[in-house]
């Protein structure tokens, strides 16, 4: 079941998302939080950092598991997702270093890295709340469209459209790594609750497919339709293709903005 909540704009999306996370961080101890990078959740992290700075939030008992990392980038590389996470979030809160999990971009033994990452999630008891962004091609994590989807953490060749989209963070397109390591669809779908964020008209087509399209591997996000507890918070631009048409269909319920207040 997908619940779609329409936000007015990026800021509103970030605030609504932070309300949900704050509620879970306060209520679930310990909380296993799956996290995404990219431009979409930057505002969410900013909100959470502000709440922490104001003394309203404690990350002592929060464990995090990031979705993905570029292959070949060390945590000290400003374009790595590890660097991103410290810059936007971890450096500003009281999370314990040993509770942070991000797949490494540089390693000697691929299978060990994969097994260790899967095991760390299992040992923690699974992910309680998984935050996702979405690619314009429907990828989640770096599970790219294709003939099949991988269940476990795996190494993936990035699609040319993903490399192009992500080149905005690099000096030029050639610098974007061609491969990434990503959590597979299995651990994402095993999360007890999923929160997908989408902002901007570039995401509108993928978002419409996510909630209304046929469930298929060529648009990985459509698989979320068969998860029992998915919330999507999308701004007006990202939801313009669907918002007026899906008052209540079988697999998606549209909430007015105010319904999110319940998480406050
Ligand atoms: C990043 C990730 C990706 C992004 C997606 C959207 O950890 O998992 O799936 O969420 O590529 O990226 P942005 O938010 O930059 O549009």
């Amino acid at each position: 079941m997908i619940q779609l909540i329409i936000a007015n704009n990026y800021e509103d999306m970030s605030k609504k998302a932070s309300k949900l996370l704050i509620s879970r961080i306060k209520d679930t101890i310990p909380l296993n939080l799956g996290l995404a990078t990219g431009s979409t959740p930057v505002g969410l992290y900013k909100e959470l950092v502000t709440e922490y700075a104001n003394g309203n939030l404690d990350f002592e008992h929060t464990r995090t598991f990031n979705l993905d990392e570029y292959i070949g980038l060390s945590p000290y590389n400003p374009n790595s997702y590890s660097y991103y996470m410290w810059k936007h979030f971890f450096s500003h809160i009281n999370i314990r270093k040993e509770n942070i999990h991000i797949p490494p971009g540089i390693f000697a033994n691929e299978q060990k890295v994969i097994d260790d990452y899967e095991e760390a999630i299992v040992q923690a008891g699974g992910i309680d709340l998984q935050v996702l962004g979405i690619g314009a091609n429907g990828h989640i994590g770096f599970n790219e469209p294709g003939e099949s989807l991988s269940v476990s953490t795996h190494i993936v060749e990035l699609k040319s459209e993903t490399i192009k989209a992500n080149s905005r963070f690099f000096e030029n397109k050639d610098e974007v790594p061609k491969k990434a390591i990503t959590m597979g669809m299995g651990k994402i779908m095993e999360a007890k609750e999923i929160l997908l964020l989408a902002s901007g008209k570039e995401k509108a087509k993928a978002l419409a497919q996510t909630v209304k399209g046929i469930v298929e591997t060529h648009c990985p996000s459509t698989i979320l339709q068969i998860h029992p507890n998915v919330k999507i918070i999308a701004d007006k631009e990202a939801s313009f293709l669907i918002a007026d048409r899906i008052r209540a269909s079988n697999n998606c319920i549209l909430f007015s903005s105010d319904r999110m207040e319940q998480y406050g």
Side-chain angles (χ1 to χ4, degrees), residues 193-250:
E193 183 176 20
I194 292 177
L195 173 65
L196 184 146
L197 304 179
S199 170
K201 60 182 184 329
E202 305 76 25
K203 305 295 174 68
K205 201 165 152 242
L207 192 66
Q209 249 188 302
T210 304
V211 298
K212 294 277 285 171
I214 293 166
V215 177
E216 55 143 347
T217 58
H218 291 100
C219 184
S221 55
T222 56
I223 204 166
L224 297 176
Q225 287 180 27
I226 58 176
H227 189 283
N229 188 6
V230 178
K231 291 176 185 66
I232 297 179
I233 306 179
D235 66 12
K236 282 187 175 152
E237 286 194 354
S239 53
F240 87 97
L241 286 173
I242 40 174
D244 55 337
R245 283 182 230 158
I246 48 151
R247 284 290 135 194
S249 75
N250 279 346

Side-chain angles (χ1 to χ4, degrees), residues 36-41 67-68 81 133-135 139-141 168-169 203:
T37 56
S39 51
T40 309
L67 283 167
D68 41 22
Y81 285 163
I134 182 170
H139 72 220
I140 49 179
R168 67 191 194 278
F169 301 111
K203 305 295 174 68

Side-chain angles (χ1 to χ4, degrees), residues 31-258:
L31 179 72
N32 297 333
L33 200 50
L35 294 176
T37 56
S39 51
T40 309
V42 170
L44 163 64
Y45 296 137
K46 201 167 156 224
E47 291 290 332
L48 293 176
V49 166
T50 304
E51 283 297 311
Y52 172 75
N54 291 340
N56 299 329
L57 217 44
D58 180 9
F59 292 91
E60 171 79 20
H61 302 291
T62 303
R63 305 174 186 134
T64 62
F65 295 88
N66 265 77
L67 283 167
D68 41 22
E69 179 59 284
Y70 287 118
I71 296 293
L73 301 195
S74 85
Y76 304 105
N77 185 316
N79 281 314
S80 73
Y81 285 163
S82 183
Y83 193 98
Y84 166 109
M85 287 309 302
W86 283 92
K87 177 178 164 195
H88 292 291
F89 196 32
F90 298 147
S91 304
H92 311 286
I93 60 173
N94 68 329
I95 190 163
R96 287 170 178 265
K97 209 171 168 211
E98 63 269 26
N99 285 344
I100 295 171
H101 304 82
I102 304 175
I106 296 178
F107 45 78
N109 185 336
E110 178 178 320
Q111 196 53 51
K112 183 170 170 12
V113 162
I114 288 170
D115 292 346
D116 287 353
Y117 205 62
E118 293 279 307
E119 186 57 20
I121 297 172
V122 172
Q123 283 302 321
I127 291 170
D128 294 304
L129 172 60
Q130 175 66 58
V131 177
L132 297 174
I134 182 170
N137 65 2
H139 72 220
I140 49 179
F142 273 137
N143 293 278
E144 294 279 37
E147 291 299 311
S148 62
L149 291 171
S150 299
V151 172
S152 307
T153 300
H154 60 287
I155 311 291
V156 62
E157 298 257 353
L158 297 176
K159 293 272 176 194
S160 57
E161 62 263 25
T162 301
I163 291 173
K164 195 170 161 216
N166 289 6
S167 64
R168 67 191 194 278
F169 301 111
F170 293 76
E171 288 223 331
N172 64 63
K173 202 171 137 229
D174 297 334
E175 277 186 26
V176 186
K178 308 285 179 287
K179 288 183 178 181
I181 179 168
T182 182
M183 205 186 277
M185 295 304 297
K187 286 285 169 283
I188 293 175
M189 289 296 282
E190 277 168 30
K192 295 184 188 85
E193 183 176 20
I194 292 177
L195 173 65
L196 184 146
L197 304 179
S199 170
K201 60 182 184 329
E202 305 76 25
K203 305 295 174 68
K205 201 165 152 242
L207 192 66
Q209 249 188 302
T210 304
V211 298
K212 294 277 285 171
I214 293 166
V215 177
E216 55 143 347
T217 58
H218 291 100
C219 184
S221 55
T222 56
I223 204 166
L224 297 176
Q225 287 180 27
I226 58 176
H227 189 283
N229 188 6
V230 178
K231 291 176 185 66
I232 297 179
I233 306 179
D235 66 12
K236 282 187 175 152
E237 286 194 354
S239 53
F240 87 97
L241 286 173
I242 40 174
D244 55 337
R245 283 182 230 158
I246 48 151
R247 284 290 135 194
S249 75
N250 279 346
N251 45 25
C252 181
I253 296 178
L254 176 68
F255 283 148
S256 76
S257 283
D258 304 341

